[in-house]
Amino acid sequence: MTVTEIILSKPYTARHMAASSRLFEICHECASLVDDFLASTSEKSLRKDTQKQVQQSISIIKTALSQHGPKETALSFNGGKDCLVMLILYLASLYMMYKDTPERIEELGLISSVYVEGHHAFPEVEDFVKECNEKYGLDTVKYESPMKDSFAQYLTYRPHIKAILAGIRRADPYGDTLEFIQETDHGWPKFVRVHPVLEWHYVEVWDFLLTLKIPYCSLYDLGYTSLGKQSNTARNPCLETEETDAKGSPVYLPAYRLNDDDKERLGRLQ
Ligand code: FAD
Ligand code: MG
């Protein structure tokens, strides 16, 4: 293991042994949540759109799993809202695919996951990644090198990993030309990248998380709509209110009050 590589929480083998049947239960719970969501109704037409997104994402994940299998698949998880949706749908898909052969899930023990922390990360993001690591049975390996180097180190450390899921959406930089499943390019280490939530819109992400009451990173309640580094991320100016807090600073509405995909990254300074 390199010096920049840190495994979150307890050593893998100890957690792995304790976790195997728990992971099946976690997947089962996520599948029940997804079923609840698909059965839910709302006066807003948004709900039907989000339900279609859920079905499409599950189909993409199942295709990826049928090509590479759960042992060869990892998640790229940075605690953001998009990869949180992806995580829930991934765990639900595992249950849907392997509910009759639970050993396929139990033998994983934990879900392989990569978090590139980088410099100037928000402590709230770091805390949320740790919380998810425990709650959802992840085996998160954290790196502090640039993204490409971090993934290269990860593949050296876990050479059996062939496919990595990322919560990139069309609205993200370079998202407009991506496919659901494709090989890496532009000097990235070689693996298959999977983008299950590529077509999701901002409001659909919040419809899913809020309807199912899935806990998310606390920064979203403070008016951040897209989380990067502390040095390049501010609250979204569209959410600023005329109210001030006890210190005289402006109060912002929570992220889920924004209605427009195009305005999501207005708090990103570069
Ligand atoms: P965000 O909305 O912040 O992130 C989108 C998603 O990327 C997140 O949901 C999460 O799943 C993942 N992610 C982002 N930051 C981190 C992090 N610090 N730690 C862990 N996961 C993170 N570009 C290419 O040109 N060619 C490639 O082959 C290529 N392969 C990639 C493979 C992976 C797994 C990832 C994560 C990125 C890859 N990229 C590649 C870069 C990608 O296309 C986008 O430029 C970038 O992810 C957008 O990140 P963002 O911070 O702007 O968006
Ligand atoms: Mg995003």
mmCIF file of all heavy atoms in Angstrom, residues 118-157:
data_model
loop_
_atom_site.group_PDB
_atom_site.id
_atom_site.type_symbol
_atom_site.label_atom_id
_atom_site.label_comp_id
_atom_site.label_asym_id
_atom_site.label_seq_id
_atom_site.Cartn_x
_atom_site.Cartn_y
_atom_site.Cartn_z
ATOM 1 N N GLY A 118 -8.332 14.569 -2.163
ATOM 2 C CA GLY A 118 -7.741 15.815 -2.659
ATOM 3 C C GLY A 118 -7.527 16.797 -1.521
ATOM 4 O O GLY A 118 -7.940 16.564 -0.384
ATOM 5 N N HIS A 119 -6.895 17.937 -1.867
ATOM 6 C CA HIS A 119 -6.639 18.950 -0.839
ATOM 7 C C HIS A 119 -7.887 19.802 -0.643
ATOM 8 O O HIS A 119 -8.727 19.890 -1.516
ATOM 9 C CB HIS A 119 -5.461 19.827 -1.264
ATOM 10 C CG HIS A 119 -4.202 19.032 -1.436
ATOM 11 N ND1 HIS A 119 -3.581 18.380 -0.394
ATOM 12 C CD2 HIS A 119 -3.481 18.741 -2.547
ATOM 13 C CE1 HIS A 119 -2.528 17.725 -0.858
ATOM 14 N NE2 HIS A 119 -2.442 17.926 -2.157
ATOM 15 N N HIS A 120 -7.985 20.429 0.504
ATOM 16 C CA HIS A 120 -9.070 21.367 0.820
ATOM 17 C C HIS A 120 -10.457 20.717 0.734
ATOM 18 O O HIS A 120 -11.423 21.358 0.307
ATOM 19 C CB HIS A 120 -9.046 22.592 -0.118
ATOM 20 C CG HIS A 120 -7.701 23.222 -0.237
ATOM 21 N ND1 HIS A 120 -7.083 23.847 0.820
ATOM 22 C CD2 HIS A 120 -6.845 23.312 -1.279
ATOM 23 C CE1 HIS A 120 -5.902 24.294 0.436
ATOM 24 N NE2 HIS A 120 -5.719 23.973 -0.837
ATOM 25 N N ALA A 121 -10.549 19.442 1.092
ATOM 26 C CA ALA A 121 -11.879 18.804 1.106
ATOM 27 C C ALA A 121 -12.678 19.366 2.285
ATOM 28 O O ALA A 121 -12.114 19.759 3.308
ATOM 29 C CB ALA A 121 -11.723 17.305 1.246
ATOM 30 N N PHE A 122 -13.981 19.416 2.146
ATOM 31 C CA PHE A 122 -14.840 19.839 3.253
ATOM 32 C C PHE A 122 -14.862 18.729 4.314
ATOM 33 O O PHE A 122 -15.098 17.558 3.960
ATOM 34 C CB PHE A 122 -16.283 20.016 2.764
ATOM 35 C CG PHE A 122 -16.541 21.284 2.005
ATOM 36 C CD1 PHE A 122 -16.536 21.278 0.614
ATOM 37 C CD2 PHE A 122 -16.819 22.474 2.669
ATOM 38 C CE1 PHE A 122 -16.807 22.440 -0.093
ATOM 39 C CE2 PHE A 122 -17.082 23.640 1.961
ATOM 40 C CZ PHE A 122 -17.073 23.622 0.570
ATOM 41 N N PRO A 123 -14.680 19.080 5.607
ATOM 42 C CA PRO A 123 -14.776 18.036 6.638
ATOM 43 C C PRO A 123 -16.146 17.355 6.643
ATOM 44 O O PRO A 123 -16.251 16.165 6.921
ATOM 45 C CB PRO A 123 -14.523 18.776 7.961
ATOM 46 C CG PRO A 123 -14.444 20.225 7.636
ATOM 47 C CD PRO A 123 -14.324 20.400 6.147
ATOM 48 N N GLU A 124 -17.189 18.101 6.274
ATOM 49 C CA GLU A 124 -18.544 17.522 6.253
ATOM 50 C C GLU A 124 -18.638 16.407 5.203
ATOM 51 O O GLU A 124 -19.373 15.434 5.383
ATOM 52 C CB GLU A 124 -19.595 18.591 5.919
ATOM 53 C CG GLU A 124 -19.807 19.645 6.993
ATOM 54 C CD GLU A 124 -18.868 20.841 6.842
ATOM 55 O OE1 GLU A 124 -17.838 20.729 6.124
ATOM 56 O OE2 GLU A 124 -19.160 21.879 7.449
ATOM 57 N N VAL A 125 -17.916 16.582 4.087
ATOM 58 C CA VAL A 125 -17.939 15.574 3.025
ATOM 59 C C VAL A 125 -17.200 14.325 3.501
ATOM 60 O O VAL A 125 -17.682 13.198 3.365
ATOM 61 C CB VAL A 125 -17.307 16.136 1.719
ATOM 62 C CG1 VAL A 125 -17.135 15.033 0.687
ATOM 63 C CG2 VAL A 125 -18.165 17.269 1.167
ATOM 64 N N GLU A 126 -16.013 14.583 4.080
ATOM 65 C CA GLU A 126 -15.222 13.472 4.613
ATOM 66 C C GLU A 126 -16.039 12.678 5.635
ATOM 67 O O GLU A 126 -16.077 11.444 5.595
ATOM 68 C CB GLU A 126 -13.969 14.083 5.262
ATOM 69 C CG GLU A 126 -13.232 13.182 6.191
ATOM 70 C CD GLU A 126 -12.015 12.572 5.514
ATOM 71 O OE1 GLU A 126 -11.985 12.510 4.283
ATOM 72 O OE2 GLU A 126 -11.115 12.172 6.231
ATOM 73 N N ASP A 127 -16.739 13.379 6.538
ATOM 74 C CA ASP A 127 -17.549 12.709 7.567
ATOM 75 C C ASP A 127 -18.659 11.887 6.916
ATOM 76 O O ASP A 127 -18.949 10.772 7.345
ATOM 77 C CB ASP A 127 -18.206 13.738 8.514
ATOM 78 C CG ASP A 127 -17.195 14.363 9.444
ATOM 79 O OD1 ASP A 127 -16.051 13.861 9.497
ATOM 80 O OD2 ASP A 127 -17.530 15.384 10.090
ATOM 81 N N PHE A 128 -19.272 12.448 5.877
ATOM 82 C CA PHE A 128 -20.382 11.739 5.243
ATOM 83 C C PHE A 128 -19.889 10.481 4.522
ATOM 84 O O PHE A 128 -20.550 9.440 4.548
ATOM 85 C CB PHE A 128 -21.140 12.672 4.287
ATOM 86 C CG PHE A 128 -22.383 12.037 3.739
ATOM 87 C CD1 PHE A 128 -23.470 11.782 4.566
ATOM 88 C CD2 PHE A 128 -22.449 11.637 2.417
ATOM 89 C CE1 PHE A 128 -24.610 11.151 4.075
ATOM 90 C CE2 PHE A 128 -23.583 11.007 1.913
ATOM 91 C CZ PHE A 128 -24.673 10.767 2.751
ATOM 92 N N VAL A 129 -18.718 10.576 3.890
ATOM 93 C CA VAL A 129 -18.160 9.386 3.219
ATOM 94 C C VAL A 129 -17.917 8.286 4.267
ATOM 95 O O VAL A 129 -18.252 7.112 4.044
ATOM 96 C CB VAL A 129 -16.864 9.729 2.443
ATOM 97 C CG1 VAL A 129 -16.182 8.467 1.923
ATOM 98 C CG2 VAL A 129 -17.173 10.673 1.283
ATOM 99 N N LYS A 130 -17.374 8.692 5.416
ATOM 100 C CA LYS A 130 -17.125 7.708 6.496
ATOM 101 C C LYS A 130 -18.431 7.086 6.976
ATOM 102 O O LYS A 130 -18.529 5.877 7.201
ATOM 103 C CB LYS A 130 -16.450 8.408 7.684
ATOM 104 C CG LYS A 130 -14.951 8.456 7.572
ATOM 105 C CD LYS A 130 -14.361 8.867 8.913
ATOM 106 C CE LYS A 130 -12.958 9.374 8.688
ATOM 107 N NZ LYS A 130 -12.532 10.390 9.624
ATOM 108 N N GLU A 131 -19.446 7.939 7.147
ATOM 109 C CA GLU A 131 -20.757 7.461 7.620
ATOM 110 C C GLU A 131 -21.324 6.423 6.632
ATOM 111 O O GLU A 131 -21.806 5.362 7.030
ATOM 112 C CB GLU A 131 -21.671 8.692 7.669
ATOM 113 C CG GLU A 131 -22.918 8.572 8.468
ATOM 114 C CD GLU A 131 -23.714 9.887 8.335
ATOM 115 O OE1 GLU A 131 -23.145 10.985 8.566
ATOM 116 O OE2 GLU A 131 -24.903 9.795 7.980
ATOM 117 N N CYS A 132 -21.231 6.732 5.331
ATOM 118 C CA CYS A 132 -21.756 5.813 4.306
ATOM 119 C C CYS A 132 -20.944 4.525 4.269
ATOM 120 O O CYS A 132 -21.487 3.445 4.011
ATOM 121 C CB CYS A 132 -21.734 6.473 2.923
ATOM 122 S SG CYS A 132 -22.925 7.802 2.782
ATOM 123 N N ASN A 133 -19.637 4.667 4.528
ATOM 124 C CA ASN A 133 -18.763 3.494 4.521
ATOM 125 C C ASN A 133 -19.279 2.448 5.509
ATOM 126 O O ASN A 133 -19.364 1.263 5.197
ATOM 127 C CB ASN A 133 -17.350 3.947 4.893
ATOM 128 C CG ASN A 133 -16.319 2.879 4.672
ATOM 129 O OD1 ASN A 133 -16.121 2.436 3.553
ATOM 130 N ND2 ASN A 133 -15.681 2.433 5.747
ATOM 131 N N GLU A 134 -19.673 2.914 6.687
ATOM 132 C CA GLU A 134 -20.187 2.002 7.720
ATOM 133 C C GLU A 134 -21.615 1.561 7.400
ATOM 134 O O GLU A 134 -21.929 0.370 7.417
ATOM 135 C CB GLU A 134 -20.171 2.690 9.089
ATOM 136 C CG GLU A 134 -18.777 2.963 9.629
ATOM 137 C CD GLU A 134 -17.925 1.707 9.741
ATOM 138 O OE1 GLU A 134 -18.422 0.675 10.222
ATOM 139 O OE2 GLU A 134 -16.748 1.760 9.329
ATOM 140 N N LYS A 135 -22.447 2.542 7.083
ATOM 141 C CA LYS A 135 -23.886 2.275 6.942
ATOM 142 C C LYS A 135 -24.214 1.348 5.775
ATOM 143 O O LYS A 135 -25.080 0.483 5.875
ATOM 144 C CB LYS A 135 -24.587 3.619 6.752
ATOM 145 C CG LYS A 135 -26.061 3.525 6.617
ATOM 146 C CD LYS A 135 -26.678 4.907 6.636
ATOM 147 C CE LYS A 135 -28.166 4.749 6.423
ATOM 148 N NZ LYS A 135 -28.852 5.991 6.514
ATOM 149 N N TYR A 136 -23.506 1.537 4.649
ATOM 150 C CA TYR A 136 -23.848 0.781 3.440
ATOM 151 C C TYR A 136 -22.868 -0.362 3.162
ATOM 152 O O TYR A 136 -22.919 -0.961 2.090
ATOM 153 C CB TYR A 136 -23.914 1.724 2.232
ATOM 154 C CG TYR A 136 -25.018 2.757 2.352
ATOM 155 C CD1 TYR A 136 -24.719 4.094 2.580
ATOM 156 C CD2 TYR A 136 -26.352 2.389 2.255
ATOM 157 C CE1 TYR A 136 -25.728 5.052 2.697
ATOM 158 C CE2 TYR A 136 -27.373 3.336 2.374
ATOM 159 C CZ TYR A 136 -27.048 4.655 2.600
ATOM 160 O OH TYR A 136 -28.053 5.590 2.721
ATOM 161 N N GLY A 137 -21.980 -0.647 4.104
ATOM 162 C CA GLY A 137 -21.077 -1.787 3.930
ATOM 163 C C GLY A 137 -20.061 -1.587 2.813
ATOM 164 O O GLY A 137 -19.831 -2.488 2.013
ATOM 165 N N LEU A 138 -19.464 -0.396 2.774
ATOM 166 C CA LEU A 138 -18.447 -0.128 1.758
ATOM 167 C C LEU A 138 -17.051 -0.434 2.294
ATOM 168 O O LEU A 138 -16.791 -0.310 3.481
ATOM 169 C CB LEU A 138 -18.489 1.342 1.315
ATOM 170 C CG LEU A 138 -19.831 1.889 0.821
ATOM 171 C CD1 LEU A 138 -19.672 3.336 0.375
ATOM 172 C CD2 LEU A 138 -20.374 1.038 -0.311
ATOM 173 N N ASP A 139 -16.176 -0.814 1.380
ATOM 174 C CA ASP A 139 -14.747 -0.966 1.680
ATOM 175 C C ASP A 139 -14.050 0.182 0.947
ATOM 176 O O ASP A 139 -13.498 -0.002 -0.133
ATOM 177 C CB ASP A 139 -14.283 -2.335 1.166
ATOM 178 C CG ASP A 139 -12.774 -2.463 1.164
ATOM 179 O OD1 ASP A 139 -12.132 -1.877 2.043
ATOM 180 O OD2 ASP A 139 -12.249 -3.162 0.270
ATOM 181 N N THR A 140 -14.164 1.383 1.536
ATOM 182 C CA THR A 140 -13.675 2.574 0.833
ATOM 183 C C THR A 140 -12.176 2.733 1.015
ATOM 184 O O THR A 140 -11.669 2.727 2.136
ATOM 185 C CB THR A 140 -14.373 3.842 1.370
ATOM 186 O OG1 THR A 140 -15.779 3.675 1.221
ATOM 187 C CG2 THR A 140 -13.923 5.079 0.613
ATOM 188 N N VAL A 141 -11.476 2.883 -0.104
ATOM 189 C CA VAL A 141 -10.050 3.187 -0.060
ATOM 190 C C VAL A 141 -9.920 4.651 -0.470
ATOM 191 O O VAL A 141 -10.470 5.065 -1.492
ATOM 192 C CB VAL A 141 -9.253 2.275 -1.018
ATOM 193 C CG1 VAL A 141 -7.763 2.539 -0.876
ATOM 194 C CG2 VAL A 141 -9.561 0.822 -0.722
ATOM 195 N N LYS A 142 -9.210 5.400 0.384
ATOM 196 C CA LYS A 142 -9.123 6.843 0.156
ATOM 197 C C LYS A 142 -7.752 7.195 -0.403
ATOM 198 O O LYS A 142 -6.741 6.660 0.066
ATOM 199 C CB LYS A 142 -9.347 7.550 1.495
ATOM 200 C CG LYS A 142 -9.381 9.046 1.394
ATOM 201 C CD LYS A 142 -9.751 9.662 2.729
ATOM 202 C CE LYS A 142 -8.536 10.042 3.521
ATOM 203 N NZ LYS A 142 -8.850 10.795 4.739
ATOM 204 N N TYR A 143 -7.719 8.084 -1.378
ATOM 205 C CA TYR A 143 -6.455 8.548 -1.959
ATOM 206 C C TYR A 143 -6.398 10.062 -1.897
ATOM 207 O O TYR A 143 -7.420 10.731 -1.885
ATOM 208 C CB TYR A 143 -6.347 8.104 -3.429
ATOM 209 C CG TYR A 143 -6.218 6.612 -3.591
ATOM 210 C CD1 TYR A 143 -7.354 5.829 -3.741
ATOM 211 C CD2 TYR A 143 -4.976 5.993 -3.573
ATOM 212 C CE1 TYR A 143 -7.256 4.459 -3.872
ATOM 213 C CE2 TYR A 143 -4.867 4.619 -3.705
ATOM 214 C CZ TYR A 143 -6.012 3.862 -3.858
ATOM 215 O OH TYR A 143 -5.915 2.508 -3.971
ATOM 216 N N GLU A 144 -5.147 10.558 -1.921
ATOM 217 C CA GLU A 144 -4.985 12.009 -1.901
ATOM 218 C C GLU A 144 -4.227 12.498 -3.132
ATOM 219 O O GLU A 144 -3.876 13.660 -3.224
ATOM 220 C CB GLU A 144 -4.280 12.424 -0.602
ATOM 221 C CG GLU A 144 -5.191 12.194 0.600
ATOM 222 C CD GLU A 144 -4.492 12.290 1.942
ATOM 223 O OE1 GLU A 144 -3.272 12.518 1.962
ATOM 224 O OE2 GLU A 144 -5.187 12.122 2.958
ATOM 225 N N SER A 145 -3.968 11.602 -4.082
ATOM 226 C CA SER A 145 -3.280 11.995 -5.318
ATOM 227 C C SER A 145 -4.315 12.533 -6.305
ATOM 228 O O SER A 145 -5.512 12.381 -6.089
ATOM 229 C CB SER A 145 -2.607 10.778 -5.962
ATOM 230 O OG SER A 145 -1.824 10.099 -5.036
ATOM 231 N N PRO A 146 -3.857 13.133 -7.439
ATOM 232 C CA PRO A 146 -4.827 13.513 -8.475
ATOM 233 C C PRO A 146 -5.643 12.303 -8.934
ATOM 234 O O PRO A 146 -5.209 11.150 -8.777
ATOM 235 C CB PRO A 146 -3.933 14.043 -9.606
ATOM 236 C CG PRO A 146 -2.656 14.448 -8.930
ATOM 237 C CD PRO A 146 -2.479 13.517 -7.772
ATOM 238 N N MET A 147 -6.815 12.572 -9.540
ATOM 239 C CA MET A 147 -7.780 11.507 -9.863
ATOM 240 C C MET A 147 -7.167 10.339 -10.649
ATOM 241 O O MET A 147 -7.281 9.188 -10.248
ATOM 242 C CB MET A 147 -8.958 12.076 -10.673
ATOM 243 C CG MET A 147 -9.861 13.006 -9.922
ATOM 244 S SD MET A 147 -10.994 12.159 -8.815
ATOM 245 C CE MET A 147 -12.326 11.768 -9.927
ATOM 246 N N LYS A 148 -6.521 10.649 -11.786
ATOM 247 C CA LYS A 148 -6.015 9.548 -12.634
ATOM 248 C C LYS A 148 -5.017 8.693 -11.868
ATOM 249 O O LYS A 148 -5.053 7.462 -11.931
ATOM 250 C CB LYS A 148 -5.301 10.113 -13.867
ATOM 251 C CG LYS A 148 -6.218 10.567 -14.957
ATOM 252 C CD LYS A 148 -5.374 11.032 -16.142
ATOM 253 C CE LYS A 148 -6.209 11.842 -17.097
ATOM 254 N NZ LYS A 148 -5.464 12.430 -18.197
ATOM 255 N N ASP A 149 -4.094 9.355 -11.133
ATOM 256 C CA ASP A 149 -3.075 8.619 -10.361
ATOM 257 C C ASP A 149 -3.749 7.765 -9.289
ATOM 258 O O ASP A 149 -3.351 6.630 -9.027
ATOM 259 C CB ASP A 149 -2.102 9.583 -9.663
ATOM 260 C CG ASP A 149 -1.271 10.356 -10.667
ATOM 261 O OD1 ASP A 149 -1.260 9.953 -11.847
ATOM 262 O OD2 ASP A 149 -0.663 11.359 -10.271
ATOM 263 N N SER A 150 -4.768 8.331 -8.663
ATOM 264 C CA SER A 150 -5.450 7.603 -7.589
ATOM 265 C C SER A 150 -6.086 6.326 -8.124
ATOM 266 O O SER A 150 -5.972 5.258 -7.513
ATOM 267 C CB SER A 150 -6.537 8.484 -6.967
ATOM 268 O OG SER A 150 -5.955 9.597 -6.356
ATOM 269 N N PHE A 151 -6.758 6.429 -9.280
ATOM 270 C CA PHE A 151 -7.400 5.236 -9.841
ATOM 271 C C PHE A 151 -6.346 4.228 -10.311
ATOM 272 O O PHE A 151 -6.545 3.014 -10.189
ATOM 273 C CB PHE A 151 -8.389 5.612 -10.941
ATOM 274 C CG PHE A 151 -9.709 6.073 -10.367
ATOM 275 C CD1 PHE A 151 -9.938 7.426 -10.120
ATOM 276 C CD2 PHE A 151 -10.686 5.161 -10.009
ATOM 277 C CE1 PHE A 151 -11.130 7.850 -9.541
ATOM 278 C CE2 PHE A 151 -11.880 5.575 -9.433
ATOM 279 C CZ PHE A 151 -12.106 6.928 -9.193
ATOM 280 N N ALA A 152 -5.203 4.730 -10.824
ATOM 281 C CA ALA A 152 -4.117 3.813 -11.229
ATOM 282 C C ALA A 152 -3.605 3.059 -9.998
ATOM 283 O O ALA A 152 -3.410 1.831 -10.037
ATOM 284 C CB ALA A 152 -2.994 4.594 -11.901
ATOM 285 N N GLN A 153 -3.435 3.782 -8.878
ATOM 286 C CA GLN A 153 -2.972 3.125 -7.648
ATOM 287 C C GLN A 153 -4.002 2.098 -7.165
ATOM 288 O O GLN A 153 -3.655 1.015 -6.699
ATOM 289 C CB GLN A 153 -2.750 4.172 -6.551
ATOM 290 C CG GLN A 153 -1.523 5.038 -6.773
ATOM 291 C CD GLN A 153 -1.464 6.188 -5.765
ATOM 292 O OE1 GLN A 153 -1.713 6.005 -4.582
ATOM 293 N NE2 GLN A 153 -1.154 7.378 -6.241
ATOM 294 N N TYR A 154 -5.272 2.460 -7.274
ATOM 295 C CA TYR A 154 -6.317 1.549 -6.817
ATOM 296 C C TYR A 154 -6.293 0.243 -7.615
ATOM 297 O O TYR A 154 -6.398 -0.843 -7.050
ATOM 298 C CB TYR A 154 -7.694 2.215 -6.934
ATOM 299 C CG TYR A 154 -8.809 1.353 -6.387
ATOM 300 C CD1 TYR A 154 -8.885 1.069 -5.019
ATOM 301 C CD2 TYR A 154 -9.783 0.827 -7.215
ATOM 302 C CE1 TYR A 154 -9.896 0.276 -4.503
ATOM 303 C CE2 TYR A 154 -10.803 0.030 -6.707
ATOM 304 C CZ TYR A 154 -10.851 -0.243 -5.351
ATOM 305 O OH TYR A 154 -11.844 -1.037 -4.839
ATOM 306 N N LEU A 155 -6.110 0.363 -8.937
ATOM 307 C CA LEU A 155 -6.131 -0.839 -9.778
ATOM 308 C C LEU A 155 -4.890 -1.699 -9.550
ATOM 309 O O LEU A 155 -4.927 -2.916 -9.757
ATOM 310 C CB LEU A 155 -6.255 -0.450 -11.248
ATOM 311 C CG LEU A 155 -7.598 0.210 -11.614
ATOM 312 C CD1 LEU A 155 -7.611 0.620 -13.069
ATOM 313 C CD2 LEU A 155 -8.775 -0.718 -11.325
ATOM 314 N N THR A 156 -3.809 -1.081 -9.104
ATOM 315 C CA THR A 156 -2.626 -1.861 -8.745
ATOM 316 C C THR A 156 -2.906 -2.623 -7.437
ATOM 317 O O THR A 156 -2.559 -3.793 -7.271
ATOM 318 C CB THR A 156 -1.408 -0.930 -8.560
ATOM 319 O OG1 THR A 156 -1.262 -0.176 -9.745
ATOM 320 C CG2 THR A 156 -0.135 -1.708 -8.275
ATOM 321 N N TYR A 157 -3.597 -1.921 -6.524
ATOM 322 C CA TYR A 157 -3.915 -2.499 -5.222
ATOM 323 C C TYR A 157 -4.993 -3.577 -5.333
ATOM 324 O O TYR A 157 -4.973 -4.598 -4.645
ATOM 325 C CB TYR A 157 -4.364 -1.347 -4.319
ATOM 326 C CG TYR A 157 -4.873 -1.717 -2.950
ATOM 327 C CD1 TYR A 157 -4.121 -2.505 -2.077
ATOM 328 C CD2 TYR A 157 -6.111 -1.229 -2.514
ATOM 329 C CE1 TYR A 157 -4.604 -2.819 -0.822
ATOM 330 C CE2 TYR A 157 -6.590 -1.533 -1.257
ATOM 331 C CZ TYR A 157 -5.842 -2.332 -0.416
ATOM 332 O OH TYR A 157 -6.313 -2.633 0.818
#
